[in-house]
Amino acid sequence: MLNKYLVDNYDKLKDMAHNIAGEKNKDDLFSFVVEELYKCDQDRLNEIIKKKQLTFYIARVMLNQYHSKTSRYYYRFNKYYEYHTTTTIESITADNTTYNIKEKQEDEEKLEWIEEKLKDLYWFDAELFRIYYRDSHSLNSLSK
């Protein structure tokens, strides 16, 4: 019964994931929630489907998983990204290097161009690229 529901409502559920998580994280959120649905008690889900409340149930699960810092989704997808983003910002601000305004503008333009190109990549590949250059890794150290 769950399979049929997911097939029939696939586009609606993908749109819901997009509205909650945005373009970048929608696929991760959607696949995570579907995986969680298959782990649930199927008899309970069948009752929810018969009452025509599964869409609301899935919306609540998506919202809770995406916004909670204690959810399994957060630990699987967001925590790692937030750690590296925060660490990089702290290391950049801790550096007391003085820039002149023109150099800083050029650096920011280059960074914006790189971020724009990284948006076209799958999130994992983009994050690997960021870590490779940000932390000055070699391919060997990344593989370890």
Side-chain angles (χ1 to χ4, degrees):
M1 203 166 191
L2 178 61
N3 290 341
K4 182 177 178 352
Y5 179 84
L6 291 174
V7 169
D8 292 345
N9 296 288
Y10 181 80
D11 292 330
K12 183 186 346 178
L13 297 174
K14 286 290 277 193
D15 288 342
M16 198 174 0
H18 179 270
N19 290 337
I20 293 170
E23 183 66 32
K24 188 174 181 181
N25 299 321
K26 70 177 179 182
D27 293 328
D28 293 332
L29 180 63
F30 179 73
S31 62
F32 179 82
V33 170
V34 169
E35 183 181 323
E36 291 298 308
L37 286 173
Y38 281 106
K39 292 178 184 177
C40 289
D41 179 18
Q42 295 303 305
D43 293 333
R44 180 172 178 247
L45 282 179
N46 289 337
E47 289 177 23
I48 294 172
I49 291 171
K50 287 177 187 172
K51 293 179 184 177
K52 298 186 181 200
Q53 296 176 342
L54 190 59
T55 304
F56 175 74
Y57 178 79
I58 291 173
R60 291 303 309 158
V61 170
M62 283 184 182
L63 282 167
N64 290 341
Q65 291 294 324
Y66 187 74
H67 291 293
S68 173
K69 296 221 183 241
T70 59
S71 69
R72 290 186 299 273
Y73 174 84
Y74 174 78
Y75 280 98
R76 188 167 166 187
F77 294 102
N78 290 347
K79 185 174 183 178
Y80 180 78
Y81 176 75
E82 285 180 8
Y83 168 76
H84 283 287
T85 305
T86 307
T87 305
T88 303
I89 290 170
E90 288 172 357
S91 67
I92 289 172
T93 55
D95 185 13
N96 292 326
T97 307
T98 55
Y99 292 101
N100 67 33
I101 294 174
K102 187 175 181 179
E103 285 177 352
K104 191 168 186 173
Q105 287 174 341
E106 289 173 359
D107 289 346
E108 287 180 16
E109 288 173 6
K110 290 175 187 175
L111 290 173
E112 287 175 12
W113 183 84
I114 290 169
E115 285 296 323
E116 187 65 34
K117 297 300 177 187
L118 289 177
K119 286 180 183 177
D120 297 335
L121 293 176
Y122 184 66
W123 72 268
F124 183 80
D125 297 333
E127 190 59 29
L128 239 141
F129 177 84
R130 287 183 185 103
I131 293 169
Y132 177 78
Y133 281 101
R134 185 182 306 139
D135 300 337
S136 301
H137 282 282
S138 66
L139 292 176
N140 193 21
S141 66
L142 263 180
S143 68
K144 289 178 183 174

